[in-house]
Amino acid sequence: MDFKEFYQQVLKIKKLPLPGEESHHKMSPAMRVQWLKSNEIRKMNPKRAGVMALFYPDMDFETRLLLILRKTYNGVHSNQIGFPGGKVEREDTDILATALRETHEEVGVPPDAVEVLKELSEVYIPPSNFMVSPFIGIYQNPLPFEIQEAEVESLVEVYLKDFMDNSNHIQENLTTSYAKSIDVPAYRLNGYTVWGATAMMMSEIKELLEQVL
């Protein structure tokens, strides 16, 4: 989709209510939904994180959504697909500042170049005990991305048309923190399987976009 057209339409999401957990559940294993219903998350005193779902034009002015492949390391999110972002630091004034700072650090996008359209519903990640706040951002005049090599393996630049294509919504047999070898709803994008918390956030974004595009 041409970015200029996309931008004119996507501004409408500012006025839309958030689909929330209902959209998250579409991309959640049934066991995860049951786990969340039977546990009081706030009592676990989760750490906070902010991430940015960044839409931008490529060189052909096609609309893209930026994802990243994280480095392989000794941690629960090793070698996974996600949005740029990370945990709150002391200098952050709020959770949006966290998302913008981390996006700058991980992929080189200046905070003042991002037009933030909307804060999305929080997503809790049990294995790492993080409560994540996602934001939708627009990067109208992108500079070349600069990855933080210590944390980011590569960029995953997804065409909007592929993200919105329902044929890329799949079921994949995976081992998760809840169970071994279970069918998990996921997206298949640029050759990668995107599942878990990132897929849940994407589900809410997709539902919002379907109302305005």
Side-chain angles (χ1 to χ4, degrees), residues 12-147:
K12 298 175 184 177
I13 70 169
K14 292 181 179 181
K15 298 180 180 180
L16 295 180
L18 292 174
E21 287 188 353
E22 185 176 338
S23 64
H24 293 167
H25 290 170
K26 294 176 182 178
M27 300 302 293
S28 304
M31 293 183 69
R32 186 188 198 284
V33 176
Q34 187 58 44
W35 188 94
L36 290 172
K37 289 180 178 178
S38 60
N39 287 273
E40 294 187 51
I41 304 305
R42 296 298 174 184
K43 289 185 177 180
M44 298 179 183
N45 192 28
K47 298 164 285 187
R48 297 295 310 281
V51 302
M52 185 64 65
L54 201 64
F55 290 92
Y56 61 98
D58 64 14
M59 293 183 67
D60 296 319
F61 299 100
E62 283 286 319
T63 304
R64 301 244 194 172
L65 171 63
L66 184 66
L67 298 171
I68 59 173
L69 174 64
R70 298 206 170 273
K71 286 280 191 181
T72 300
Y73 66 100
N74 185 24
V76 296
H77 303 301
S78 171
N79 199 230
Q80 288 188 1
I81 300 291
F83 290 117
K87 65 181 181 181
V88 171
E89 301 290 354
R90 289 184 179 180
E91 68 265 26
D92 297 333
T93 55
D94 54 26
I95 196 66
L96 174 57
T98 299
L100 289 169
R101 175 185 53 76
E102 285 281 344
T103 300
H104 185 208
E105 291 176 2
E106 291 190 335
V107 296
V109 177
D112 60 3
V114 178
E115 179 182 355
V116 180
L117 294 188
K118 199 172 188 71
E119 182 175 3
L120 301 169
S121 304
E122 295 178 323
V123 175
Y124 179 66
I125 305 178
S128 54
N129 193 33
F130 266 101
M131 184 68 78
V132 181
S133 295
F135 295 85
I136 295 178
I138 301 294
Y139 189 25
Q140 287 202 60
N141 300 296
L143 300 170
F145 294 113
E146 298 179 12
I147 67 170

Side-chain angles (χ1 to χ4, degrees), residues 1-14 16 55-56 62-65 117 136 138 158-166 202-213:
M1 183 176 190
D2 177 77
F3 183 79
K4 184 176 180 180
E5 180 184 353
F6 168 77
Y7 179 72
Q8 291 172 344
Q9 298 299 319
V10 77
L11 294 175
K12 298 175 184 177
I13 70 169
K14 292 181 179 181
L16 295 180
F55 290 92
Y56 61 98
E62 283 286 319
T63 304
R64 301 244 194 172
L65 171 63
L117 294 188
I136 295 178
I138 301 294
V158 177
Y159 281 113
L160 174 67
K161 60 185 178 183
D162 292 336
F163 172 44
M164 301 300 291
D165 186 346
N166 289 331
M202 292 174 71
S203 179
E204 185 170 49
I205 295 168
K206 186 172 183 287
E207 197 162 323
L208 288 169
L209 292 179
E210 286 173 340
Q211 297 179 63
V212 300
L213 298 183

